[in-house]
Every structure is written in C-alpha cells, then in structure tokens.
Amino acid sequence: MTESSSPPLADLLRAAVTAVGGTERQGQTAMAEAVAEAIDDTSHLLVQAGTGTGKSLGYLVPALAQGERVVVATATLALQRQLVERDLPRTVDALHPLLRRRPEFAMLKGRSNYLCLHRLREGVPQEDADESGLFDPVEAAAPTSRLGKDLLRMRDWADETETGDRDDLTPGVSDRAWSQVSVTSRECLGASKCAYGAECFAEAARERAKLAEVVVTNHALLAIDAIEGAPVLPSHEVLIVDEAHELVSRVTGVASGELTPGQVNRAVRRAAKLVNEKAADALQTAAESFERLMELALPGRLEEIPEDLGYALMALRDAARTVISALGSTRDASVQDEDAVRKQALGSVENIHQVAERIVEGSEYDVVWYERHDRFGASLRVAPLSVSGLLREKLFEDRSVILTSATLKLGGDFNGVAASLGLAPESPQDPEGGEDTAPRWQGLDVGSPFDYSKQGILYVAKHLAQPGREGSRSDMLDELAELVEAAGGRTLGLFSSMRGAQAAAEALRGRLDVPILLQGEETLGELIRAFAADARTCLFGTLSLWQGVDVPGPSCQLVVMDRVPFPRPDDPLMSARQKAVEEAGGNGFMAVAATHAALLMAQGAGRLVRASGDRGIVAVLDPRVERARYGSFLRKSMPDFWYTTDRNQVRRSLAAIDAAAKADGA
C-alpha cells in the first residue's frame, strides 16, 4: 500500500488499542512512529519499551500498515500465543475497515514441534522403541507405561487437531513421549516421499506461512534460517525480533554442537542394519574408542584438542563419512518401511560427521569443552566464540530489522547489546554510504507508563559480607528472613544457583510461618499460579524465574536477588569470550560478565512493577552493587527505582506496603 493511500498511523494505532481494550500511551505512539520510519527507509531500530508500554501493538500496527510480509520472532511460547491468539486477531479486525484489506497471519515453528503422522502410524524404528521402554517386545502397540498411555492419547488427538502443534495438546506430554511421534528435519522423509505428505502438519504450517502477511516464529527457527543457508522462513521485507535480549543466547544454541557416547551409539545401531559389515564395524570401533576417552573426560575447556581425542574424532568423522556414502547406495528389502529408517540413520550419522569434523578442524572462532552431567555422563561440546559477525552478515542484509525488549539499554546505553548483535556503536551514519559500511541503526528508549521512582525502591544491603564462591551466607539468610517477615510473605526470591535457592527455602521454612514454594518441586506454571493465588506465599528459584514471572498485584511486592548473577568462573564459553575481549584490548569483565549480570538483574527487577497500582521493593543482598566500581553500571541497567542502602527504611516501607495490602483485603 502506498503512503498516500495509507490511513494516518495515529488512527490505526488508536483503533488497535481500543480493540484490545488498552489505553493509548505516549511511549507506544513514539515506538510505532519510529518503527514505521525504520521500515520506510530500510534501516534498523533497537527499541527499549518498558513493561506496560504495549510494545506488541507498537510494532504490529506499523508493520501491518506497510503491506509487506513481516516475520515476528519471539523467545517465549507465552508471547507467541499472545500474538497469535489475542493481539493479531483483534488488531487485524480493528484495522480491516481502515486498511480495506485483512492481513493473514500464521505461526511457524521447527518441524519437531509438529506431530509426524508417519511416525505415529508406522511406529518408531525398532531400536528407538526398545530403548524407550514404551512397548512390550511381544506386541509393539501394547502400552506398558505412562509413555504408552500418552501415545494412545496422541493417536486420538491426531484425529482432532487441525495444527498438530505440540503446544495445542492439553495436557502436555513429556519430551520422551513426544519424541515417539515427531521427527527432526534431518529425519523427515520429505512430503514427496512420505505416504502421509499430503496430510503433514509441518508442511501445512509452512504453506500457511507462505500465504500470510505476518509470520510469527521463534528465535531458534530464525537462527536456523539465517545460519544453515536453506531457507525455512518465507522471504520477507521486515523482521521484528521481540524479547531481543534473548537472541544472542538462542543463536549461540543453534550454532553449537555436541557429541556424547549415547548419541554415537544410537547412530551405530541405526546404521548397522542398513550398510555393509565393513562400514558398520568401522563406525562401531570409532564409537568404542570415543566412549573410552569420554569416561575419563574432566569438565573444562580444551584450548587445544588432545592428541588421543583428535585421533578418535578423526576416526569418527571418517567412519561416519563412509556410512553416509553406504546409506546412499544400499537397500535392504527385509527392513520394513526402510526409507524412514534410512532417513533417521542418515540424520544421526550426518550430525556426528558434522560435529566431529568441526572440532577436528579447530577453528579459532570456536570454543570446545567437556561437560559432565551426574545422570547423563560426559559430553563434548563446541560453540562459536561470538555470534556477532554471523548476525551482522546474516540478519541485517536486505531487510529492515526491529529489535525490541524491556531490557536493551545496559549501563545507560544500547552499545553493549548492539555490539553483541554485530552492530557498531551508535553514532551518526554516513548518508552517502562512504567508508562507514556498518548497518544503519538507532536506539530508542520509549520508557514505561509506570512511575518507577514512586512505585518501587531499589535496596542494596551494603552491610552484608561479600559473597564468596563457597559456603553458606548466614548473614544473607538472616537479612532475607527479616525482609520476608516484614513483607508478610509476598516475595519472589531470585537466586544465582539452584543450590542457593534450596538452602534459602530450607532455612526459611524452619524460621517463618509463610508458605515457601521452591522451583523444581512442581511444574513452573503450577508454582507461579500458586504464588499469585495467595499473597502470603513466597516463590524461590533460579534462572527461569528471573525472566519468566508476570504476577501483578499484592502477591509480588518484594523481589530479592541473593547476589549479582555473574556467569560461573568455570563456564568455558563465557570465560573464552571474556579472554578474547581482553586479548583485543577491551575490558573482558565488563563486556561479558558484567553485561550478562546486568541483563539478568534488569529482567529480575522488572518482575516487581507489572501494573500501574503495583508497589514494592527490589532487594539485592550483595554489597558489591554499592561498593564495587561496576555497581553503578548494574544499577543504571535496572528500572529507575528510588535507591537506598538504609535497611531500617526498607523495613518500614515493607511494613507499610503489607499493611496497605491487608487493608485492601489482599
């Protein structure tokens, strides 16, 4: 639609806000205008939009108005559902009379998120079925466990569902159960070869996306589309990345590889029936050598690949290559549904070949390390030292990119997040495109409708001892108990480790007469519902709580952080990234560790004020936020709460907030 025929943006935004039952906000209007301008001149925009701004409409309305295809990528299922089930339907209905067209929208996820009818109806390859314990060996269809019951339920669901999307199955099933009825892109036969291709849910989702003007997807699929070169998203002129603070982490995950003895042995079993004995034996021998080495593996980074590991990986790589060739040239009529079995075997072996070859090649831009898990044993992992170059090359070409989140400014500016995305520091760009060839971008902070300085207090307990790596913090637990008691419960406890959360829950359960919920003792959704339902209840946990809790009202009036959430000193990837910055002449600690902590603290502090009537306190029980040189950087990254280190003032404020809540009946 041309600019001259488009209704004024203000009219469109007003109609959309009314349709969702919202209120027009100055920040939302400023965001919508900036998004429209960036789309119009094909530039890039970083928008920090605080809680309550209504940022979804702030980007959806100008995106729908311009008439080109838009991809919206989010990090969480909750936001994807909100967009597809609430915001987009209402916005499209509201804009239809003004735009005189009805934009179509669709959700698209990775293939393994959709039910595979071939896998459901033809069954799992025998070695996988046996391994799962899902079926009796005598009668493959007889369920003998909860997994079997889930499979029967999914068979019934397959006849009812229109999407085949795992997230539409209620109640849900475990990852193990879902793996029995889904396939990865490597395992998929392809619509043309599959007997159920015409009914395929994943293919149907792709077709809907091709016809849609707005495609809602996730960061992982966006990363796959950018990294692997084989497009999985339809071509588009505008990309909007919501929850953009998560993008680097999600892209890093997609660009990482892993090898485990169990994974390699599964590939051996899958391929053994399909290739000649010589090829199978070579892969088996290489797998055994790799497994023996992994039994002795100690956690930590491998700055150089040990000679014995190098030989084992080369043997795996070469044997896998031979098997891949053999899988393409042999057929076994005795194997039922051989194409599906072959495709799954090929996918497993190709992954082993790819990861082994990558580690053997030893790129200076990769980090390799051992991990050891108490339950699953050792794994060998490889990840990119940085994804900024990859993002700069793949993300910002030939389209306008809008990145938005409540937390993009760290330490007071956008430069830290921008650098992680491959963007140069914010500065006036050369309009003639001279020597400066960096993508053009600008940062915009549209603020929040909330008055943080009047609605919340940031309290730093500077009198406490500095936390160490080990040992209990009795003074911190005493402080926590006093704060929770003064608040009358109503506390979200954010801990930097699960061990810290468990220790605090155990200590306070014996000292206070308030219910204390602990992450891991129930599903996260159930815990959050219970926390919101009873104002006296406290909820303690770790990483997912720092970013995943939205509980407005009196149930969450005290948010406590036990310590600055720096990455673990022994984290191989973060340590390598910090070292690389230092070797390039930068401040590795500030660029990596402090930025990581600031992002989490900004997200954590954002749990407190979720509505205009919310009041409360964010308490950081780590004196370094006041005493250390980097403390001001951390404080500037959080909402602009009224700041104090006066413990007595905070207790009086908590008591007053608790009394007011009780007077209101909460």
Side-chain angles (χ1 to χ4, degrees):
M1 180 174 290
T2 63
E3 186 176 346
S4 61
S5 64
S6 298
L9 182 62
D11 292 350
L12 296 172
L13 187 61
R14 188 175 303 113
V17 169
T18 301
V20 301
T23 303
E24 288 189 68
R25 302 191 185 281
Q26 184 177 351
Q28 186 184 60
T29 301
M31 177 179 180
E33 291 172 349
V35 170
E37 183 178 339
I39 292 173
D40 188 54
D41 63 13
T42 325
S43 62
H44 310 302
L45 178 68
L46 273 64
V47 187
Q48 176 161 291
T51 305
T53 303
K55 62 181 168 64
S56 297
L57 293 188
Y59 59 70
L60 284 178
V61 171
L64 288 168
Q66 51 83 41
E68 304 288 352
R69 179 179 280 131
V70 180
V71 166
V72 180
T74 77
T76 62
L77 170 64
L79 183 54
Q80 288 176 52
R81 281 192 171 279
Q82 176 188 314
L83 289 171
V84 173
E85 296 178 4
R86 191 187 74 180
D87 293 350
L88 274 165
R90 296 179 185 180
T91 302
V92 166
D93 286 345
L95 299 188
H96 179 213
L98 297 171
L99 294 175
R100 295 189 295 278
R101 59 185 171 84
R102 182 180 292 277
E104 296 290 329
F105 55 89
M107 183 185 291
L108 183 62
K109 303 177 182 179
R111 190 170 293 275
S112 61
N113 290 281
Y114 299 97
L115 185 78
C116 172
L117 292 172
H118 186 283
R119 179 68 75 89
L120 180 77
R121 293 171 181 170
E122 303 299 331
V124 183
Q126 192 58 46
E127 66 275 0
D128 284 3
D130 290 344
E131 187 177 302
S132 72
L134 180 59
F135 302 114
D136 281 327
V138 176
E139 186 177 357
T144 60
S145 66
R146 181 177 176 181
L147 287 174
K149 294 176 183 177
D150 281 341
L151 182 62
L152 293 177
R153 182 159 62 89
M154 287 188 285
R155 283 178 176 164
D156 292 337
W157 176 67
D159 295 329
E160 304 167 0
T161 178
E162 295 182 2
T163 65
D165 186 333
R166 178 180 180 178
D167 294 316
D168 292 339
L169 175 61
T170 305
V173 296
S174 68
D175 290 346
R176 195 175 176 196
W178 184 254
S179 70
Q180 304 295 314
V181 297
S182 64
V183 295
T184 65
S185 57
R186 285 182 183 270
E187 297 168 338
C188 177
L189 292 173
S192 62
K193 294 183 179 179
C194 180
Y196 305 96
E199 307 169 66
C200 177
F201 292 116
E203 291 298 320
R206 287 195 174 197
E207 290 303 312
R208 287 193 295 271
K210 288 178 183 177
L211 299 173
E213 190 172 308
V214 180
V215 179
V216 179
T217 188
N218 53 55
H219 289 181
L221 201 62
L222 174 64
I224 291 169
D225 185 72
I227 292 169
E228 298 191 354
V232 292
L233 297 173
S235 61
H236 51 281
E237 290 70 35
V238 180
L239 170 63
I240 297 170
V241 182
D242 205 338
E243 302 170 307
H245 62 278
E246 286 277 3
L247 183 62
V248 168
S249 173
R250 302 300 171 100
V251 172
T252 298
V254 169
S256 299
E258 181 180 29
L259 282 177
T260 69
Q263 170 194 11
V264 174
N265 288 328
R266 277 194 298 276
V268 171
R269 289 196 299 273
R270 289 171 176 174
K273 298 176 183 178
L274 302 172
V275 299
N276 61 70
E277 187 175 346
K278 182 178 179 181
D281 286 349
L283 188 59
Q284 176 70 55
T285 301
E288 290 170 354
S289 298
F290 177 69
E291 185 169 14
R292 284 195 296 270
L293 283 175
M294 294 300 286
E295 288 173 355
L296 304 173
L298 298 176
R301 183 184 178 188
L302 301 173
E303 298 206 35
E304 291 186 5
I305 303 301
E307 188 176 27
D308 53 356
L309 178 61
Y311 284 132
L313 290 173
M314 284 189 283
L316 265 183
R317 176 199 62 190
D318 295 344
R321 185 189 299 124
T322 300
V323 168
I324 290 167
S325 298
L327 283 170
S329 61
T330 61
R331 288 288 187 270
D332 185 351
S334 68
V335 179
Q336 289 186 339
D337 200 11
E338 195 219 13
D339 280 344
V341 175
R342 178 180 300 278
K343 187 74 175 181
Q344 186 176 55
L346 188 61
S348 298
V349 179
E350 282 178 339
N351 181 64
I352 289 166
H353 176 268
Q354 181 181 1
V355 177
E357 185 171 53
R358 178 178 174 183
I359 297 174
V360 166
E361 287 178 351
S363 168
E364 62 180 305
Y365 303 110
D366 272 342
V367 180
V368 181
W369 72 97
Y370 284 129
E371 276 188 9
R372 184 167 287 280
H373 190 282
D374 290 342
R375 181 179 173 187
F376 302 111
S379 64
L380 180 64
R381 305 200 65 192
V382 57
L385 183 61
S386 170
V387 296
S388 59
L390 182 68
L391 288 171
R392 176 170 175 163
E393 177 187 353
K394 302 291 188 180
L395 203 67
F396 298 99
E397 293 283 331
D398 304 323
R399 58 186 169 186
S400 177
V401 182
I402 315 298
L403 300 114
T404 185
S405 167
T407 48
L408 288 180
K409 286 176 71 173
L410 300 179
D413 62 49
F414 290 95
N415 289 332
V417 170
S420 71
L421 296 167
L423 298 171
E426 187 174 19
S427 61
Q429 304 286 335
D430 180 358
E432 302 300 324
E435 294 184 4
D436 185 3
T437 58
R440 292 188 303 119
W441 71 279
Q442 66 169 332
L444 175 66
D445 181 0
V446 300
S448 168
F450 305 143
D451 190 344
Y452 286 118
S453 63
K454 293 182 179 178
Q455 289 184 248
I457 296 172
L458 172 61
Y459 163 59
V460 175
K462 73 172 185 178
H463 61 282
L464 296 179
Q466 181 170 313
R469 290 190 185 182
E470 302 294 338
S472 63
R473 297 177 60 200
S474 58
D475 60 341
M476 184 276 289
L477 292 174
D478 290 342
E479 180 83 5
L480 176 60
E482 292 177 18
L483 290 171
V484 172
E485 188 170 30
R490 312 176 192 278
T491 301
L492 177 65
L494 305 177
F495 294 82
S496 59
S497 70
M498 201 60 229
R499 184 170 59 180
Q502 291 167 342
E506 182 180 349
L508 267 62
R509 280 169 174 169
R511 297 166 64 168
L512 301 178
D513 186 26
V514 295
I516 296 176
L517 307 175
L518 178 63
Q519 185 179 352
E521 294 182 346
E522 182 51 87
T523 65
L524 191 56
E526 286 298 323
L527 289 172
I528 293 173
R529 279 191 285 273
F531 175 55
D534 179 5
R536 294 181 63 251
T537 297
C538 303
L539 173 58
F540 290 0
T542 183
L543 187 60
S544 56
L545 296 189
W546 288 74
Q547 305 183 78
V549 177
D550 184 9
V551 180
S555 290
C556 184
Q557 294 186 320
L558 173 62
V559 175
V560 179
M561 305 179 198
D562 70 326
R563 61 192 296 164
V564 178
F566 291 124
R568 296 192 332 266
D570 61 349
D571 183 304
L573 185 56
M574 297 297 252
S575 300
R577 288 177 170 175
Q578 187 166 319
K579 182 179 178 182
V581 173
E582 291 164 356
E583 289 176 346
N587 186 326
F589 171 77
M590 291 301 297
V592 179
T595 295
H596 172 88
L599 183 57
L600 275 177
M601 294 183 78
Q603 285 284 310
R607 302 309 98 201
L608 181 69
V609 176
R610 310 298 296 178
S612 57
D614 287 352
R615 300 287 186 276
I617 290 172
V618 173
V620 184
L621 308 186
D622 187 334
R624 293 174 294 182
V625 176
E626 166 65 21
R627 297 177 188 169
R629 285 180 295 176
Y630 54 79
S632 61
F633 174 79
L634 299 177
R635 295 197 301 273
K636 285 179 184 176
S637 302
M638 289 189 274
D640 188 25
F641 295 126
W642 188 77
Y643 178 64
T644 185
T645 60
D646 185 339
R647 60 192 302 200
N648 294 321
Q649 173 62 54
V650 166
R651 281 156 179 73
R652 289 194 296 271
S653 297
L654 281 172
I657 292 169
D658 180 42
K662 288 177 179 175
D664 290 338

